[in-house]
Amino acid sequence: MYDANPLIHHLRAASVGREDAVFATQPLAGPDAAAVTFAQLFARAEQMAAELVEQGVQPGDRVAVQVQKSLAAIELYLGTVMAGAVFLPLNTAYTDTEVAYFISDATPRVFVCDPERAGSLQSVAAQAKVLTLDAAGQGTLSALADRQGGFQVVARSPDDLAAILYTSGTTGRSKGAMLSHANLYSNSRTLRDHWEFTCDDVLIHALPIFHTHGLFVATNVALLAAASVVFLPGFDRDAILQAMPTATALMGVPTFYTRLLADERLTQECAANMRLFISGSAPLLVDTHEQWEARTGHRILERYGMTETNMSTSNPYRGERIAGTVGLPLPGVEARVMAEGTELAAGEIGVLEVRGPNVFQGYWQMPEKTAEELRPDGWFITGDLAKIDSNGYVTIVGRQKDLVITGGFNVYPKEVEVLIDDMPGVVESAVIGVPHPDFGEAVVAVVARSGDEISAEAIQAALVGQLAKFKQPKHVALVDALPRNTMGKVQKKALRETYAGLFG
Ligand code: AMP
């Protein structure tokens, strides 16, 4: 029986009685990649679990994984949790030096990597046993797992860890967010119910699986609903448009939506079978939301979360989806906006805090960092600046560290960005603070345009009269595109570095 292992129990329970139904199809994986049923998925996960145990993995041990997206990687995730161990996925973009830090910090028992990098990574693997797995699911791990049979899942309690995900580390060292079985299954159950996922759903899965969005939101919700997924190795416009007429849901970052909008094959007809488009991990422009509705007839549902908290807020499935907001706190989750130890009134901007069963257990081996961000009474200080309106809808204004302080005044980048984004000829903008000899920091706007219709001077001129003088950019830089990471987040840190010398 597997009910002694809470996360596996919940993920598996939904497909009991329909084990032969298809969990995943892989349209881009070639003719050999037949559809995988729930029975096959879990049987393979058991083989992976058995092999991990044979490799010496004990309950609570970390299994670090840096591999291409594949169903085998999902089976490894499930197998790790079945073995009572802690799954630790790493971004495939991390270099050997970065991986060395994660390995030394997390001291995994086993490290699974791509065969192509096994040679160079072997030297940074320290005490960990190195196994390999490629994009087709082949490698030393799969060869060894082939020999294994069934597996008796290892008992765990709801508070035991199931995963550690490192945050992107935009300030200082990356921190390992410890997520328990209960954190993960409670959040996916809430999302499944809130978004009304059932076994009739077909979810287009094009997100990376080293991040909370693709691994937990997409995969766990699909498993928990016994829904099936169209499993794609990454964002692929053709494949997504091809899948859409027979799919029901898509989970994406905002860039998925802007890239799909750029394709004329995206029509109301193409999206006729879809019931839900979800966006998160970075802010969705109001303009994108509106264009999407005009083109497909669907209002994108925006939600908000982070590695440490899973998902915290969501626009409603059945109620009003308000563009530019991330909706209401999810059932069981509380949210408040704070400044200097006091909860702020509706509409006021401060730091967003959340509390609930979704909130993580703390940072791996960083008790001081944990104490700085997680209050003893359970409130987690997100570091996001936000406001909550009188109906409870939350609007994210930006990261606290992106706040610009110029001449002693606070400038919330978003207030400036929304005005620039609204100008004809502007695709999007990022407002940053850069060092300035008089003001401490100066407001700088980096703007991506669709052509050369609008100049830097025209942008500056248009803001006069709309914004107080101290909020107006002292410089407008025109670029072809804003730098983004794989999750679609604008890399403001990189922009601050690029423009650091502007006034120096
Ligand atoms: P990560 O831990 O990588 O998932 O990043 C979490 C951060 O992404 C949050 O703290 C927010 O700053 C940002 N984020 C996530 N979802 C949204 C959203 N819907 N709108 C704006 N920012 C978001």
Side-chain angles (χ1 to χ4, degrees):
M1 273 314 289
Y2 45 81
D3 56 355
N5 183 302
L7 180 58
I8 294 299
H9 172 74
H10 284 92
L11 295 181
R12 216 166 170 174
S15 53
V16 168
R18 19 186 358 265
E19 288 87 351
D20 293 333
V22 169
F23 166 63
T25 53
Q26 303 184 79
L28 295 185
D32 295 342
V36 171
T37 64
F38 289 95
Q40 290 166 329
L41 178 84
F42 286 108
R44 187 62 179 163
E46 287 190 5
Q47 287 183 304
M48 295 269 195
E51 185 53 38
L52 291 175
V53 170
E54 194 151 325
Q55 296 288 332
V57 169
Q58 310 257 333
D61 278 349
R62 278 74 56 213
V63 173
V65 177
Q66 189 192 35
V67 297
Q68 299 300 317
K69 181 177 178 180
S70 71
L71 272 186
I74 299 283
E75 289 154 355
L76 174 56
Y77 151 57
L78 296 170
T80 301
V81 181
M82 283 176 173
V86 181
F87 188 66
L88 195 162
L90 294 169
N91 190 326
T92 40
Y94 286 145
T95 62
D96 292 2
T97 318
E98 286 166 317
V99 172
Y101 163 72
F102 296 116
I103 304 263
S104 67
D105 190 51
T107 58
R109 176 82 58 183
V110 167
F111 173 46
V112 184
C113 67
D114 198 86
E116 281 188 7
R117 290 186 60 194
S120 64
L121 285 171
Q122 183 77 52
S123 61
V124 303
Q127 304 302 313
K129 287 198 182 161
V130 179
L131 296 172
T132 63
L133 196 64
D134 69 12
Q138 302 300 313
T140 55
L141 172 62
S142 43
L144 290 165
D146 283 347
R147 309 172 313 182
Q148 301 288 347
F151 182 74
Q152 182 79 35
V153 302
V154 173
R156 297 265 79 192
S157 80
D159 292 336
D160 283 329
L161 298 189
I164 294 178
L165 264 61
Y166 278 84
T167 60
S168 47
T170 38
T171 46
R173 277 289 192 204
S174 211
K175 296 167 282 185
M178 301 189 288
L179 296 154
S180 69
H181 281 242
N183 289 149
L184 298 181
Y185 74 70
S186 69
N187 200 240
S188 1
R189 196 168 49 192
T190 302
L191 296 175
R192 175 197 64 188
D193 296 345
H194 203 66
W195 297 337
E196 303 191 12
F197 271 86
T198 70
C199 60
D200 294 329
D201 275 304
V202 179
L203 171 70
I204 303 175
H205 193 313
L207 291 159
I209 53 170
F210 50 74
H211 185 268
T212 182
H213 197 170
L215 184 61
F216 300 137
V217 184
T219 309
N220 284 358
V221 167
L223 285 172
L224 219 62
S228 64
V229 295
V230 179
F231 200 74
L232 300 173
F235 178 84
D236 182 306
R237 195 154 74 178
D238 292 342
I240 291 177
L241 288 167
Q242 235 159 46
M244 221 180 259
T246 51
T248 64
L250 172 69
M251 290 183 190
V253 295
T255 36
F256 278 26
Y257 294 100
T258 49
R259 290 188 203 167
L260 286 166
L261 276 167
D263 195 304
E264 60 190 19
R265 289 171 296 172
L266 178 77
T267 57
Q268 194 132 7
E269 203 186 0
C270 172
N273 196 54
M274 295 287 287
R275 67 171 185 90
L276 185 55
F277 291 97
I278 298 176
S279 177
S281 293
L284 181 79
L285 297 176
V286 172
D287 189 44
T288 311
H289 184 101
E290 287 169 354
Q291 280 188 44
W292 193 268
E293 185 174 15
R295 188 86 79 80
T296 67
H298 289 274
R299 289 176 72 80
I300 298 173
L301 182 154
E302 186 169 6
R303 96 294 175 282
Y304 157 82
M306 58 197 298
T307 305
E308 291 91 330
T309 64
N310 297 282
M311 299 306 107
S312 293
T313 75
S314 169
N315 270 283
Y317 182 65
R318 289 185 184 275
E320 198 187 349
R321 298 180 195 165
I322 303 181
T325 80
V326 294
L328 304 153
L330 284 161
V333 179
E334 297 169 88
R336 67 182 186 189
V337 170
M338 302 284 286
E340 281 146 28
T342 317
E343 184 169 353
L344 297 180
E348 290 187 84
I349 296 176
V351 178
L352 184 68
E353 298 190 3
V354 298
R355 179 164 73 173
N358 52 318
V359 172
F360 75 146
Q361 307 299 302
Y363 294 113
W364 173 256
Q365 288 182 339
M366 288 188 178
E368 303 81 23
K369 285 272 172 221
T370 304
E372 277 169 29
E373 294 177 32
L374 189 56
R375 298 184 191 276
D377 59 359
W379 286 100
F380 175 66
I381 305 165
T382 65
D384 283 314
L385 293 167
K387 57 185 177 183
I388 304 183
D389 74 12
S390 52
N391 294 320
Y393 280 76
V394 179
T395 300
I396 304 293
V397 186
R399 294 291 295 164
Q400 192 175 19
K401 62 176 190 294
D402 293 333
L403 179 74
V404 186
I405 305 178
T406 180
F409 294 112
N410 285 358
V411 179
Y412 300 106
K414 194 159 178 188
E415 331 176 57
V416 187
E417 289 163 2
V418 289
L419 295 175
I420 299 179
D421 292 348
D422 227 22
M423 296 180 191
V426 169
V427 177
E428 57 178 349
S429 62
V431 165
I432 52 170
V434 304
H436 188 282
D438 288 341
F439 299 105
E441 278 188 312
V443 176
V444 168
V446 186
V447 181
R449 299 179 299 171
S450 49
D452 54 10
E453 186 187 337
I454 193 160
S455 66
E457 296 71 33
I459 293 171
Q460 269 169 320
L463 292 173
V464 175
Q466 292 200 73
L467 285 175
K469 183 119 177 62
F470 70 92
K471 296 182 188 174
Q472 294 169 20
K474 298 211 165 20
H475 179 83
V476 172
L478 301 173
V479 295
D480 292 336
L482 298 178
R484 290 179 184 281
N485 70 6
T486 31
M487 296 312 295
K489 290 186 215 294
V490 173
Q491 299 300 79
K492 287 201 166 174
K493 188 175 163 225
L495 288 176
R496 281 194 287 266
E497 284 163 11
T498 306
Y499 296 101
L502 211 52
F503 302 98

